[in-house]
Amino acid sequence: MTASPVLTDPAAYRFWIEERVRFADLDALGHVNNNAIGVYFESGRVALMESCGGFRSESPWSVVLARSLIEYKAELLYPATARIGVRVLRLGNSSVTLGSAVFNGDAVVATQEAVCVIVDAATHRPTPLPPALRAGLSEHLVPV
């Protein structure tokens, strides 16, 4: 059994984005809904992939989310600006495992471990990570 990565330490992240908490993100109890937290994680994943050359209209490949494990640690309230840290935990042949966390200041709100698979745009089947994408993602690899 391998050790779980520590996703709660802001110092472990090299890639960051910010999301403004919207009133529409709130649930009936007045805190940010779990679905909105998932959208924040998606924004982080997409931004990292874009920075590494992904999601280009001319690309013969795309990225799909194959697995997502989110752990909720604390409430996030409106108004706020959430910071989302994203790092690469593992690079596979056709997949990448990302670790992410949503922070309110230095307090962790939620963590996510996500497996993303590179797929051929025409066949929708897994395909090896393109060399340029692998190189870009390698810059964000933080060993577990």
Side-chain angles (χ1 to χ4, degrees):
M1 179 181 255
T2 61
S4 296
V6 175
L7 301 176
T8 56
D9 181 6
Y13 296 95
R14 298 176 184 164
F15 186 87
W16 291 91
I17 67 163
E18 288 189 349
E19 284 281 332
R20 181 180 54 84
V21 173
R22 295 167 294 277
F23 186 78
D25 294 343
L26 305 182
D27 65 13
L29 296 177
H31 64 261
V32 174
N33 180 278
N34 64 309
N35 186 58
I37 297 288
V39 172
Y40 300 162
F41 283 126
E42 178 184 57
S43 294
R45 287 192 312 274
V46 169
L48 176 67
M49 289 293 185
E50 283 179 337
S51 78
C52 295
F55 296 111
R56 305 288 193 270
S57 60
E58 69 277 4
S59 292
W61 54 271
S62 190
V63 183
V64 297
L65 181 64
R67 179 177 182 269
S68 172
L69 174 62
I70 297 175
E71 293 187 22
Y72 301 93
K73 307 287 188 182
E75 291 182 319
L76 181 58
L77 304 172
Y78 175 89
T81 299
R83 297 183 318 127
I84 298 91
V86 185
R87 67 190 226 206
V88 175
L89 300 176
R90 288 179 286 287
L91 288 170
N93 181 46
S94 62
S95 67
V96 57
T97 302
L98 301 176
S100 303
V102 174
F103 293 91
N104 184 14
D106 285 334
V108 67
V109 174
T111 61
Q112 180 190 51
E113 189 170 322
V115 177
C116 299
V117 177
I118 309 306
V119 296
D120 182 279
T123 65
H124 298 192
R125 301 295 305 154
T127 189
L129 272 77
L133 179 64
R134 181 178 291 279
L137 291 171
S138 294
E139 292 180 20
H140 300 284
L141 182 62
V142 178
V144 178

